[in-house]
Amino acid sequence: MTIGSEDELEKLKAAGRLVARTLKAMGAALEPGMTTRELDDLGRRMLEDAGARSAPELTYGFPGATCISIGPDVAHGIPGDRKVEAGDLINIDVSAELDGFFADTGASFAVPPTAPRVEKLCRDGRRALWSGIRTVRPGAPLNAIGKSIEAFARKNGYSLVRNLASHGVGASLHEAPTEIATWWEPSDRRTMTEGLVFTIEPFLSLGADWVEEADDGWTLFPPGGQPTVQYEHTLVVTPRGPVVLTLAD
């Protein structure tokens, strides 16, 4: 969506803070022995206590309030009876509707003890996200985001999953602009306009450039099982640059 008023911006900020705080709490609660359903229940309570609704559940009938994926799965994992184990790499994606507006965020968490290369992958996943965020300004090409992220990935020896992309958000969970690549896509001639709301969510990997869908119809995983992380923010384009809506504080 494109924000048309200060009231819309404030409502989007409220939705963004809520999903960010929910994600932060879920990440802090992670510990070996808990099930992903227990973790999802925590997320659901936080959203519902604030008067919000799970966006994937509302929009797509997803079987959970949040998406929780234990590696090698990277996205859209269904909460269930699987238990968290030490050494797991877990992605949590939280999106919700609050007062008619949607926000979307996600992060990957490594459950100690963690291999040094996975710890570095997590740190660099966050750095890749912010390298894309720093390109955001009115009039800039939309593909500047992917150009910056791909340059970071190549410089640091990573691959990017290329069949998962960022997207517009705000009035609904997924809307125009669709398919915002987090890699260099020279054919994309679109530009960022003031007030535009969208996500940036690179999937940085130790070798994977593609994911496939599991038999459950939801879960996505790299065929080679390579460790992969995703970090995601919702932001709005302003004359002063990007305003990140999904910060917990």
Side-chain angles (χ1 to χ4, degrees), residues 60-81:
Y60 300 113
F62 180 75
T66 65
C67 300
I68 304 173
S69 309
I70 299 181
D73 300 337
V74 300
H76 303 169
I78 300 172
D81 295 328

Side-chain angles (χ1 to χ4, degrees), residues 52-125:
R53 296 182 290 177
S54 159
E57 196 171 59
L58 174 66
T59 305
Y60 300 113
F62 180 75
T66 65
C67 300
I68 304 173
S69 309
I70 299 181
D73 300 337
V74 300
H76 303 169
I78 300 172
D81 295 328
R82 183 172 177 180
K83 292 185 177 181
V84 174
E85 297 181 7
D88 278 341
L89 180 60
I90 298 177
N91 180 265
I92 303 173
D93 195 298
V94 182
S95 55
E97 176 273 329
L98 178 66
D99 201 15
F101 291 85
F102 290 75
D104 191 1
T105 190
S108 296
F109 301 87
V111 182
T114 310
R117 67 173 188 152
V118 174
E119 291 182 3
K120 185 175 186 297
L121 174 64
C122 290
R123 290 195 301 269
D124 285 344

Side-chain angles (χ1 to χ4, degrees), residues 18 45-52 98:
L18 176 59
R45 286 194 302 271
M46 291 189 66
L47 296 178
E48 292 182 350
D49 285 350
L98 178 66

